[in-house]
Amino acid sequence: MNGSYLQNLFSLEGKTVLITGAAGGIGAAISRGLVRAGAEAALCGRTVEKCEALAEELRDEGGTASAHCLDVARVETIQPCVDEVVDRYGKIDVLFNVAGVNRREGLLDVEEATYDRLMDTNLKGLFFVSQRVAREMYKRKKGSIVNIGSHNDQGMLGGCSVYGASKSGVIALTRSMAVEFAQYGIRCNAISPGHILTELTQVTWDHPTRAPWLKERIAMGRPGAPEELVGMAILLASDASSYMTGQAYHIDGGCLCGGAPWEYDTNY
């Protein structure tokens, strides 16, 4: 009985999920987790070949997934992608805004092109994808939007000024969406990953000074894995989170809470 109750509570059976940045390190882990929990997934990204390879992998497992071309930084590509997903599945129940980019360089070094690229992808693109999908959710008066924030939406690092500003904006938008969309039955929350080990962040974890610096500031003393975000993703996509909206959930191994403690007296 207990197993059946939990399965029903967190099941994504019958839910259609649109995921941006679906084939990236974090996006692929979330996509796999959602489909394995029963969702039918529209995997969207700039490189449709990568999305198709992931969709094929999930279909081979018995899941339902399709690949769609979407560059969130090009607003003109958003509505055609949303229309394509709705034509295929008839609806969109959940949106995961995962697509994001970063470039680590000093604030005094940032050129306008870099600034625009980060903001167009991380904030402007997320805004307009959410707007277009929410218009579809509005028709059914139900939906869940999940944005991907960052450690940098609250705790800043050197060389991440534009990225941190864009992710702080994501959290502000999350709250705005929660306030405006609640009347339409649409919830909006954010998952803010801490220092996650992916192909893109491997260079940081191999760095002779940055890696030790980070480990000292993470209570668990290690980077997170993309798969460790899946539990929260399933919760926020499912009806188990029906009274949760407007929040950012930091999954960071105890980084923001204070990291490793200083020396103290203990019998243990």
Side-chain angles (χ1 to χ4, degrees):
M1 179 182 295
N2 290 338
S4 176
Y5 173 76
L6 288 174
Q7 184 174 1
N8 290 334
L9 184 64
F10 293 98
S11 174
L12 301 183
E13 293 287 345
K15 291 188 182 294
T16 301
V17 184
L18 188 157
I19 307 156
T20 73
I26 289 175
I30 288 176
S31 297
R32 291 187 180 100
L34 296 175
V35 172
R36 289 166 183 170
E40 49 188 20
L43 310 179
C44 305
R46 288 183 300 172
T47 309
V48 72
E49 293 81 8
K50 291 183 178 179
C51 291
E52 179 55 44
L54 179 58
E56 184 176 357
E57 171 195 324
L58 293 169
R59 290 194 296 265
D60 288 343
E61 294 181 4
T64 302
S66 56
H68 306 268
C69 186
L70 172 63
D71 181 353
V72 301
R74 297 174 57 217
V75 175
E76 68 272 15
T77 72
I78 295 173
Q79 191 63 54
C81 178
V82 172
D83 291 342
E84 184 176 281
V85 173
V86 172
D87 287 344
R88 184 182 185 98
Y89 295 105
K91 59 187 174 60
I92 300 173
D93 298 292
V94 184
L95 166 65
F96 271 82
N97 283 306
V98 184
V101 295
N102 190 13
R103 180 171 179 175
R104 296 176 180 85
E105 57 186 6
L107 192 150
L108 300 181
D109 303 302
V110 175
E111 300 289 343
E112 184 178 4
T114 298
Y115 181 96
D116 288 344
R117 176 172 172 262
L118 268 62
M119 285 294 184
D120 285 351
T121 302
N122 298 350
L123 193 57
K124 181 180 177 180
L126 179 146
F127 180 98
F128 284 105
V129 171
S130 299
Q131 181 194 69
R132 306 302 165 81
V133 172
R135 287 172 178 170
E136 291 297 326
M137 292 176 170
Y138 168 82
K139 298 174 184 178
R140 302 175 65 241
K141 299 298 187 290
K142 187 176 183 180
S144 176
I145 296 174
V146 183
N147 299 323
I148 298 299
S150 168
H151 171 84
N152 294 120
D153 62 42
Q154 187 166 336
M156 295 301 165
L157 297 170
C160 292
S161 58
V162 183
Y163 181 78
S166 70
K167 289 300 185 177
S168 296
V170 167
I171 302 308
L173 275 179
T174 298
R175 296 186 180 120
S176 293
M177 291 178 197
V179 168
E180 289 198 28
F181 293 167
Q183 62 188 315
Y184 310 134
I186 302 169
R187 299 180 293 108
C188 186
N189 293 284
I191 297 174
S192 295
H195 302 289
I196 306 297
L197 179 58
T198 66
E199 183 178 342
L200 293 178
T201 64
Q202 184 68 59
V203 63
T204 297
W205 289 103
D206 290 339
H207 196 277
T209 60
R210 292 176 185 171
W213 188 92
L214 284 176
K215 288 179 181 179
E216 288 178 0
R217 284 156 178 79
I218 300 171
M220 290 186 175
R222 64 171 178 84
E227 290 74 20
E228 292 179 292
L229 305 172
V230 172
M232 181 59 74
I234 292 173
L235 170 63
L236 294 177
S238 74
D239 293 338
S241 57
S242 59
Y243 199 56
M244 297 167 64
T245 196
Q247 300 297 315
Y249 300 96
H250 282 259
I251 302 176
D252 65 358
C255 186
L256 285 178
C257 73
W262 61 10
E263 293 185 7
Y264 60 97
D265 294 332
T266 176
N267 293 322
Y268 300 94

